Amino acid sequence: CERATALLNQITDAEPEFQTKGVVMVRGGIERYLKTFPEGGYWKGKNYLFDKRMEQAPAKKTDEEMERDVDSVCCLCRKSCSHYRGQHKCARTLPSSGLACAVPVIVCDAEECRDAAAREPHRLECPLCVKGYQTPETAPDLVGQKRKLGLIARGGTDVVTGQRVVAGGSTDDATHSQQRQQPVSQRLFVGKLPLTVTVSKLRRSFERRDCKMEGVRWIVDRSSGVFYGSAYCHMASVEDARRAQSPGSLALCGEFRKKGRGRKRQRRAPVAFAPVREGEAWPPSEPFSEMEYPPMGS
C-alpha cells in the first residue's frame, strides 16, 4: 500500500496527463481501522494478513453479515470462499514478459478442488487473467520523473533515499565501500521510521551511539502534509554524523518488530548522509520546531 501510494503520487506530480480521483491512505492501515471500528465501518469483507493469522475480520460483525460481504470465490468450483490456504498461485503466463502471473488464488476446502489443485495446477487462474487483463509492456520512467520533480540532486543522488542513481535507473548501493564514498554532511537522512516515532526517541537513539542531534525536520508529503516515515536529522558536528552513519542504520529506542513465537527484535532505521543541495537553506534560519510527533497532515 505504501509503495503504491508513493508511486501514484509521484506519477501524478510528474505527468500532468495522468490523473486519479485522489490517493488516500488509512493511517495505521486496515488492521488499526478494524480495531477502531469493530463493526466494520466502511470496510467490506476480510483483510488478508501476511502472518499466521492469515486474515482479519471486524470483531463485532456477524457471520451472516460477513457472508453477504464476501465477493471472492474458489478459482476452481466458483463457490463463495473467503480464506486463502495452501499458497496456491495463478499459473497463467503473462504475454508481455513470458513470466508466470503468480497472483495468489483461492482454493476452497472441498476435496475435489484440493485434489485438482495438486494434480492440475495449470488450471489455477486469478480473476484478472480470467478477464483477460494484460500487464503493460512498458514501465513508467520513474527516474526521469524524479529528475523532473527535482528529487535527484546534482551528481545523481536521490534526495529522498540518499542513494546514488546510476545508469539504467537503479540505485548504486551494491557495496559498503560505495556507500562510504557518499559526500559527508552534518545532516543525515533517516528512513523507514514508524508512525510512533518521536523526537525524544530519535535523540535517545543517537545518544546511545554517543552522537548528539541538534534538531529534526520531518519530511512530509508536499500536498497533504502527511508524514510517511522519513526525517532529516541535523547533528551537532560532522564527526557526530560520521559515527551515527557508520553502521548504516540506527537502532530505535522503544521500537520493536515482532518475530515468531512471541520474540521481538529492535527496529532499525537506515541512515545516510544528506548533503545540502545547491541553493538550499540549511540549517533553517529559524530554530528547529521541535514537534514531538510527526505531523498528521491536514
Side-chain angles (χ1 to χ4, degrees):
C1 302
E2 289 83 357
R3 290 180 180 181
T5 300
L7 175 63
L8 288 171
N9 284 334
Q10 175 179 311
I11 297 177
T12 302
D13 289 343
E15 308 293 344
E17 68 277 6
F18 181 89
Q19 294 296 325
T20 69
K21 294 181 179 179
V23 180
V24 181
M25 284 188 66
V26 177
R27 186 173 178 86
I30 299 301
E31 182 174 9
R32 180 176 174 182
Y33 181 85
L34 293 183
K35 288 179 180 178
T36 306
F37 301 97
E39 296 85 5
Y42 290 102
W43 178 259
K44 182 179 179 181
K46 297 180 180 180
N47 179 34
Y48 175 69
L49 302 174
F50 295 89
D51 58 30
K52 293 181 179 179
R53 293 173 295 170
M54 300 303 291
E55 68 260 334
Q56 179 188 24
K60 294 185 178 180
K61 208 163 198 176
T62 65
D63 292 340
E64 292 76 15
E65 291 175 321
M66 188 60 62
E67 285 298 322
R68 289 196 296 269
D69 276 357
V70 171
D71 291 331
S72 56
V73 298
C74 170
C75 69
L76 293 172
C77 69
R78 315 304 299 172
K79 292 182 180 179
S80 178
C81 184
S82 61
H83 60 270
Y84 175 65
R85 300 291 186 274
Q87 298 184 343
H88 299 293
K89 295 180 180 180
C90 178
R92 282 279 192 96
T93 299
L94 301 176
S96 60
S97 64
L99 301 175
C101 172
V103 167
V105 294
I106 293 176
V107 176
C108 70
D109 293 329
E111 186 175 354
E112 56 270 24
C113 291
R114 288 182 302 181
D115 290 344
R119 293 194 316 268
E120 304 172 284
H122 60 275
R123 291 178 53 194
L124 303 180
E125 298 176 323
C126 72
L128 287 173
C129 286
V130 170
K131 291 180 180 179
Y133 172 78
Q134 299 294 329
T135 54
E137 295 184 1
T138 58
D141 181 11
L142 301 182
V143 173
Q145 291 172 359
K146 284 192 173 185
R147 292 188 188 279
K148 186 185 297 186
L149 295 173
L151 298 177
I152 296 180
R154 178 175 296 181
T157 300
D158 189 316
V159 301
V160 177
T161 65
Q163 296 176 328
R164 189 171 72 85
V165 179
V166 296
S170 60
T171 51
D172 184 10
D173 60 350
T175 65
H176 190 62
S177 61
Q178 288 173 318
Q179 292 175 357
R180 286 187 171 181
Q181 292 173 7
Q182 292 179 350
V184 177
S185 66
Q186 199 170 337
R187 183 175 70 174
L188 296 176
F189 170 85
V190 185
K192 295 186 178 180
L193 294 169
L195 297 178
T196 53
V197 70
T198 63
V199 171
S200 299
K201 287 181 180 179
L202 278 175
R203 199 180 301 278
R204 290 198 304 271
S205 301
F206 281 116
E207 288 173 352
R208 289 176 60 178
R209 291 202 54 79
D210 194 25
C211 306
K212 183 179 179 182
M213 181 188 77
E214 288 192 341
V216 174
R217 176 62 55 88
W218 304 115
I219 301 175
V220 299
D221 181 80
R222 289 182 298 175
S223 57
S224 65
V226 174
F227 171 74
Y228 285 121
S230 303
Y232 286 132
C233 297
H234 189 72
M235 308 305 291
S237 68
V238 172
E239 286 306 313
D240 282 304
R242 284 183 186 274
R243 285 197 299 273
Q245 192 276 337
S246 59
S249 63
L250 179 70
L252 298 176
C253 288
E255 297 290 345
F256 297 89
R257 288 184 181 276
K258 289 185 178 180
K259 303 293 287 182
R261 299 180 180 178
R263 294 177 298 169
K264 292 182 178 180
R265 188 176 73 179
Q266 191 160 33
R267 184 188 289 266
R268 303 189 69 88
V271 178
F273 293 117
V276 179
R277 300 186 296 277
E278 185 177 353
E280 181 183 6
W282 188 273
S285 55
E286 72 277 5
F288 284 97
S289 55
E290 290 292 308
M291 292 177 57
E292 182 67 5
Y293 289 89
M296 298 281 290
S298 55

